Amino acid sequence: MRNIIDEKYIRLCFQLAKKGEGFVSPNPFVGCVIVKEGKILSAGIHEKYGALHAERNAILNSTEDFFGATLYCNLEPCMHTDKQTPPCVPLIISSGIKRVVISTVDVNPKVKGKGIQQLREAGIDVTTSVLEDEGNELNKFYFKTQKCGIPYITLKIATSKDGSITEEEGKQTWLTGIESKKFVHKLRFSYDAVLIGANTVNIDNPQLTVREVEGRNPKRIIIDGKLSSKLESKVFNDSEAETFVYCSDKAESSLKKSFGEKNIRVIEVETDYDMQIKLEDVIKNLVVHKINSVLVEGGKHIFEQFFNSNLFDELIHLQSPAILKNGLRVVDTSIFSNLELIKKISLGSDFMLHYKNLRSKCLQA
Ligand SMILES: NC(=O)c1ccc[n+]([C@@H]2O[C@H](COP(=O)([O-])OP(=O)(O)OC[C@H]3O[C@@H](n4cnc5c(N)ncnc54)[C@H](OP(=O)(O)O)[C@@H]3O)[C@@H](O)[C@H]2O)c1
Ligand SMILES: [Zn+2]
C-alpha cells in the first residue's frame, strides 16, 4: 500500500541526490534524510566520487538524537568494506535508527540485498521499493554499468525536417537553433563522455563542451581506426576536457607517436588489417576509465554502428524545420518503430523527440 509520507521523503532524497550530478560518477546518486516525529533531523548527500556516502554524512553532520528515527535513502545502504569509504550499515545500526526506507536495491553484486538483510538482522524495520521507477531512472547510468558491463548510451541526432543530418557528404550544416544548442550543452553536462567519429572531428571541428551552461565538460571520445583525424582539431588542442582516441593496433606508428605527444589518451584496439574497431571493444573499455554514460553525437558512420548493434538506450532527435531534399540521411525511419517516444517538446523552432530503446543490448548477464 502506498505511504504518502514515505514517498514525500524519498522524493526529497532524489532532489538531494541530484546535487551530485557531474561529480559522483561512476558512483550512484544518493541522498538521505533522517526524520523523527514529523521533523527532519538531518540530511546528507553523496557529493562527489570518493567522498563520504549520503547516509554517513546525514548521521555524522548532526548532534540530534536519532533513537527511534527513520532514515530515508534512495539507494540501499552499503555494507562492504573493500572500498575507499567505510560502510554505512554498521553506522545506521549503532545510531539507534529504528526504520529504514529505500527506493532501489543496489545492483552492485557486493551489496545487492545484503545491506537490507544486515539491517533487518539488527532488528531495523526496512521498507523497500518506494517510488522504485523514479529511483531506477535517477540512477539509470549506474545501474546499466553494474548490470551490463557497458555505459548507458544515448544517441543525439540533429536532422532536417526530412531526415538529413547534413546538406551533403563531407560538409557541415548547422541545422538547429540556439535553444537546441543550450539543451545539448545541458545534456552533455549530465553525461560522463561525448563520443564522435574521425570524420566529424575533421569536418565539424567541434569542441564538445558545455559553453552555454555552467558545469564541467564531459570527456571526449574519438573513434578513429586509422588515426585520420587532423591533429590541429580543437578537441586535441584545447585543455577543456580529457580526450581519448581509440585507434587500431595496426594504425601507422608515426601517427600514434604524434597523437601520443599531445595531451591525448591514445587507446589501441586489436583489429584486422581493415583497421575497423568493434564498437563493443570501445564501450567495454570506457567502463575501465570510469565512464558510466556516453552521449553519441555522430556522424553517420558512428550512428549506423550503434543502430545496427542495438547498443544504445535512448535516442534524442532534434528536428529542425529546414528541408534538405538531397541531404545525407542517417537512418531510414523504420528504426523509430522499435523505440518508444517518451517526450516531445519544442525548442525554439525545433522539436526535441526523446525515445527509449526497449530492446537495448546488454553485454553481460
Ligand atoms: N546532424 C548531426 O547530428 C550530425 C552529427 C555529427 C556529424 N554530422 C555530420 O556527419 C558527417 C560525418 O559523418 P561520417 O559518417 O562521414 O563520419 P563519422 O561517423 O564522424 O566518422 C567516420 C569515420 O570515423 C572512423 N571510424 C568510425 N567508426 C570506426 C570503427 N568502428 N573503426 C575504425 N574507425 C572508425 C573512420 O575513419 P577512417 O575512414 O579514417 O577509417 C570513419 O570513416 C559530417 O558531414 C558531419 O557534419 C551530423
Ligand atoms: Zn554507504
PDB file of all heavy atoms in Angstrom, residues 52-56 76-80 83 85-89, ligand 2:
ATOM      1  N   LEU A  52      32.426  10.878   1.300  1.00  0.00           N
ATOM      2  CA  LEU A  52      31.581  10.055   2.176  1.00  0.00           C
ATOM      3  C   LEU A  52      30.197   9.854   1.570  1.00  0.00           C
ATOM      4  O   LEU A  52      29.693  10.700   0.823  1.00  0.00           O
ATOM      5  CB  LEU A  52      31.449  10.722   3.542  1.00  0.00           C
ATOM      6  CG  LEU A  52      32.718  10.755   4.416  1.00  0.00           C
ATOM      7  CD1 LEU A  52      32.410  11.402   5.759  1.00  0.00           C
ATOM      8  CD2 LEU A  52      33.293   9.351   4.631  1.00  0.00           C
ATOM      9  N   HIS A  53      29.559   8.754   1.982  1.00  0.00           N
ATOM     10  CA  HIS A  53      28.219   8.450   1.473  1.00  0.00           C
ATOM     11  C   HIS A  53      27.176   9.338   2.154  1.00  0.00           C
ATOM     12  O   HIS A  53      27.404   9.873   3.246  1.00  0.00           O
ATOM     13  CB  HIS A  53      27.900   6.972   1.707  1.00  0.00           C
ATOM     14  CG  HIS A  53      28.704   6.067   0.808  1.00  0.00           C
ATOM     15  ND1 HIS A  53      28.526   4.712   0.758  1.00  0.00           N
ATOM     16  CD2 HIS A  53      29.684   6.357  -0.100  1.00  0.00           C
ATOM     17  CE1 HIS A  53      29.360   4.189  -0.137  1.00  0.00           C
ATOM     18  NE2 HIS A  53      30.077   5.174  -0.661  1.00  0.00           N
ATOM     19  N   ALA A  54      26.013   9.439   1.505  1.00  0.00           N
ATOM     20  CA  ALA A  54      24.949  10.331   1.981  1.00  0.00           C
ATOM     21  C   ALA A  54      24.479   9.969   3.396  1.00  0.00           C
ATOM     22  O   ALA A  54      24.271  10.852   4.242  1.00  0.00           O
ATOM     23  CB  ALA A  54      23.771  10.262   1.015  1.00  0.00           C
ATOM     24  N   GLU A  55      24.328   8.664   3.672  1.00  0.00           N
ATOM     25  CA  GLU A  55      23.824   8.232   4.985  1.00  0.00           C
ATOM     26  C   GLU A  55      24.820   8.621   6.084  1.00  0.00           C
ATOM     27  O   GLU A  55      24.449   9.104   7.151  1.00  0.00           O
ATOM     28  CB  GLU A  55      23.656   6.700   5.034  1.00  0.00           C
ATOM     29  CG  GLU A  55      22.832   6.093   3.932  1.00  0.00           C
ATOM     30  CD  GLU A  55      23.670   5.694   2.720  1.00  0.00           C
ATOM     31  OE1 GLU A  55      24.382   6.559   2.155  1.00  0.00           O
ATOM     32  OE2 GLU A  55      23.605   4.522   2.324  1.00  0.00           O
ATOM     33  N   ARG A  56      26.109   8.412   5.797  1.00  0.00           N
ATOM     34  CA  ARG A  56      27.167   8.734   6.762  1.00  0.00           C
ATOM     35  C   ARG A  56      27.183  10.245   7.007  1.00  0.00           C
ATOM     36  O   ARG A  56      27.268  10.697   8.152  1.00  0.00           O
ATOM     37  CB  ARG A  56      28.517   8.248   6.200  1.00  0.00           C
ATOM     38  CG  ARG A  56      29.697   8.407   7.130  1.00  0.00           C
ATOM     39  CD  ARG A  56      30.852   7.527   6.701  1.00  0.00           C
ATOM     40  NE  ARG A  56      30.607   6.136   7.025  1.00  0.00           N
ATOM     41  CZ  ARG A  56      30.885   5.563   8.203  1.00  0.00           C
ATOM     42  NH1 ARG A  56      31.453   6.266   9.168  1.00  0.00           N
ATOM     43  NH2 ARG A  56      30.610   4.304   8.423  1.00  0.00           N
ATOM     44  N   GLU A  76      19.835   1.463  -1.485  1.00  0.00           N
ATOM     45  CA  GLU A  76      20.154   0.552  -0.371  1.00  0.00           C
ATOM     46  C   GLU A  76      21.516   0.917   0.250  1.00  0.00           C
ATOM     47  O   GLU A  76      22.511   1.054  -0.468  1.00  0.00           O
ATOM     48  CB  GLU A  76      20.213  -0.879  -0.922  1.00  0.00           C
ATOM     49  CG  GLU A  76      20.665  -1.911   0.090  1.00  0.00           C
ATOM     50  CD  GLU A  76      20.785  -3.306  -0.527  1.00  0.00           C
ATOM     51  OE1 GLU A  76      20.733  -3.440  -1.772  1.00  0.00           O
ATOM     52  OE2 GLU A  76      20.936  -4.258   0.261  1.00  0.00           O
ATOM     53  N   PRO A  77      21.585   1.072   1.567  1.00  0.00           N
ATOM     54  CA  PRO A  77      22.877   1.393   2.202  1.00  0.00           C
ATOM     55  C   PRO A  77      23.896   0.260   2.024  1.00  0.00           C
ATOM     56  O   PRO A  77      23.531  -0.906   1.937  1.00  0.00           O
ATOM     57  CB  PRO A  77      22.508   1.576   3.680  1.00  0.00           C
ATOM     58  CG  PRO A  77      21.045   1.868   3.682  1.00  0.00           C
ATOM     59  CD  PRO A  77      20.478   1.083   2.538  1.00  0.00           C
ATOM     60  N   CYS A  78      25.161   0.647   1.989  1.00  0.00           N
ATOM     61  CA  CYS A  78      26.224  -0.335   1.706  1.00  0.00           C
ATOM     62  C   CYS A  78      26.751  -0.981   2.987  1.00  0.00           C
ATOM     63  O   CYS A  78      26.656  -0.418   4.076  1.00  0.00           O
ATOM     64  CB  CYS A  78      27.366   0.348   0.967  1.00  0.00           C
ATOM     65  SG  CYS A  78      28.266   1.508   1.997  1.00  0.00           S
ATOM     66  N   MET A  79      27.342  -2.179   2.830  1.00  0.00           N
ATOM     67  CA  MET A  79      27.936  -2.872   3.978  1.00  0.00           C
ATOM     68  C   MET A  79      29.306  -3.424   3.658  1.00  0.00           C
ATOM     69  O   MET A  79      29.961  -3.967   4.519  1.00  0.00           O
ATOM     70  CB  MET A  79      27.029  -4.004   4.509  1.00  0.00           C
ATOM     71  CG  MET A  79      26.101  -4.682   3.540  1.00  0.00           C
ATOM     72  SD  MET A  79      26.743  -5.092   1.906  1.00  0.00           S
ATOM     73  CE  MET A  79      27.840  -6.416   2.267  1.00  0.00           C
ATOM     74  N   HIS A  80      29.746  -3.276   2.388  1.00  0.00           N
ATOM     75  CA  HIS A  80      31.032  -3.884   2.006  1.00  0.00           C
ATOM     76  C   HIS A  80      32.180  -2.944   2.392  1.00  0.00           C
ATOM     77  O   HIS A  80      32.024  -1.730   2.479  1.00  0.00           O
ATOM     78  CB  HIS A  80      31.058  -4.266   0.523  1.00  0.00           C
ATOM     79  CG  HIS A  80      30.770  -3.141  -0.417  1.00  0.00           C
ATOM     80  ND1 HIS A  80      29.657  -2.348  -0.317  1.00  0.00           N
ATOM     81  CD2 HIS A  80      31.469  -2.684  -1.482  1.00  0.00           C
ATOM     82  CE1 HIS A  80      29.673  -1.450  -1.286  1.00  0.00           C
ATOM     83  NE2 HIS A  80      30.772  -1.630  -1.998  1.00  0.00           N
ATOM     84  N   LYS A  83      36.522  -0.771  -0.111  1.00  0.00           N
ATOM     85  CA  LYS A  83      36.406   0.470  -0.888  1.00  0.00           C
ATOM     86  C   LYS A  83      36.991   1.629  -0.087  1.00  0.00           C
ATOM     87  O   LYS A  83      37.373   1.459   1.068  1.00  0.00           O
ATOM     88  CB  LYS A  83      34.945   0.727  -1.269  1.00  0.00           C
ATOM     89  CG  LYS A  83      33.998   0.806  -0.077  1.00  0.00           C
ATOM     90  CD  LYS A  83      32.575   0.928  -0.565  1.00  0.00           C
ATOM     91  CE  LYS A  83      31.557   0.748   0.524  1.00  0.00           C
ATOM     92  NZ  LYS A  83      31.552   1.740   1.570  1.00  0.00           N
ATOM     93  N   THR A  85      35.630   4.344   1.209  1.00  0.00           N
ATOM     94  CA  THR A  85      34.899   4.907   2.356  1.00  0.00           C
ATOM     95  C   THR A  85      34.315   3.788   3.215  1.00  0.00           C
ATOM     96  O   THR A  85      34.011   2.706   2.710  1.00  0.00           O
ATOM     97  CB  THR A  85      33.753   5.817   1.846  1.00  0.00           C
ATOM     98  OG1 THR A  85      32.942   5.053   0.947  1.00  0.00           O
ATOM     99  CG2 THR A  85      34.282   7.050   1.148  1.00  0.00           C
ATOM    100  N   PRO A  86      34.132   4.055   4.513  1.00  0.00           N
ATOM    101  CA  PRO A  86      33.618   2.991   5.390  1.00  0.00           C
ATOM    102  C   PRO A  86      32.145   2.670   5.098  1.00  0.00           C
ATOM    103  O   PRO A  86      31.422   3.508   4.578  1.00  0.00           O
ATOM    104  CB  PRO A  86      33.782   3.587   6.800  1.00  0.00           C
ATOM    105  CG  PRO A  86      33.994   5.043   6.608  1.00  0.00           C
ATOM    106  CD  PRO A  86      34.441   5.290   5.217  1.00  0.00           C
ATOM    107  N   PRO A  87      31.697   1.456   5.443  1.00  0.00           N
ATOM    108  CA  PRO A  87      30.320   1.061   5.135  1.00  0.00           C
ATOM    109  C   PRO A  87      29.288   1.791   6.001  1.00  0.00           C
ATOM    110  O   PRO A  87      29.571   2.169   7.140  1.00  0.00           O
ATOM    111  CB  PRO A  87      30.310  -0.438   5.439  1.00  0.00           C
ATOM    112  CG  PRO A  87      31.396  -0.629   6.435  1.00  0.00           C
ATOM    113  CD  PRO A  87      32.441   0.403   6.148  1.00  0.00           C
ATOM    114  N   CYS A  88      28.086   1.974   5.471  1.00  0.00           N
ATOM    115  CA  CYS A  88      27.047   2.757   6.164  1.00  0.00           C
ATOM    116  C   CYS A  88      26.189   1.923   7.115  1.00  0.00           C
ATOM    117  O   CYS A  88      25.718   2.434   8.134  1.00  0.00           O
ATOM    118  CB  CYS A  88      26.133   3.428   5.134  1.00  0.00           C
ATOM    119  SG  CYS A  88      27.036   4.589   4.093  1.00  0.00           S
ATOM    120  N   VAL A  89      25.976   0.645   6.785  1.00  0.00           N
ATOM    121  CA  VAL A  89      25.041  -0.154   7.588  1.00  0.00           C
ATOM    122  C   VAL A  89      25.435  -0.197   9.076  1.00  0.00           C
ATOM    123  O   VAL A  89      24.594   0.081   9.947  1.00  0.00           O
ATOM    124  CB  VAL A  89      24.858  -1.577   6.983  1.00  0.00           C
ATOM    125  CG1 VAL A  89      24.198  -2.526   7.970  1.00  0.00           C
ATOM    126  CG2 VAL A  89      24.020  -1.482   5.706  1.00  0.00           C
TER     127      VAL A  89
HETATM  128 ZN    ZN B   2      27.338   3.634   2.034  1.00  0.00          ZN
END
